[in-house]
Amino acid sequence: MNWIFLVAFVGILGALAAAGVFMLRRPPQGHPPTKAMARALLARVLISIALFALILLAWKLGWIQPRANPLGR
């Protein structure tokens, strides 16, 4: 289960990096701006929502258990 979370986190960071690259790259003179940055940010948001839903589903099905450590000990 941990590798699924790791892959999703790497995907989120990759989409964020791609959006940053698309933001810094400017289209050639006379061409309309592309929507690549917006698509990359949309992918990041969708992966984040899917990861959150997967965590909730895994908790509901008992695949993962919350562990609370007392702060005073």
Side-chain angles (χ1 to χ4, degrees):
M1 185 57 78
N2 290 340
W3 63 272
I4 294 174
F5 298 140
L6 181 64
V7 168
F9 188 67
V10 168
I12 291 167
L13 289 178
L16 186 61
V21 168
F22 292 135
M23 180 181 68
L24 293 175
R25 193 182 322 164
R26 295 176 189 239
Q29 195 73 322
H31 291 279
T34 63
K35 296 183 182 182
M37 184 181 73
R39 285 189 203 121
L41 291 174
L42 176 67
R44 183 183 65 89
V45 169
L46 292 177
I47 294 170
S48 298
I49 291 171
L51 179 62
F52 184 72
L54 178 67
I55 290 172
L56 287 180
L57 179 69
W59 173 63
K60 185 71 172 169
L61 294 176
W63 297 343
I64 58 174
Q65 295 295 323
R67 285 185 259 161
N69 296 328
L71 294 176
R73 295 185 188 172

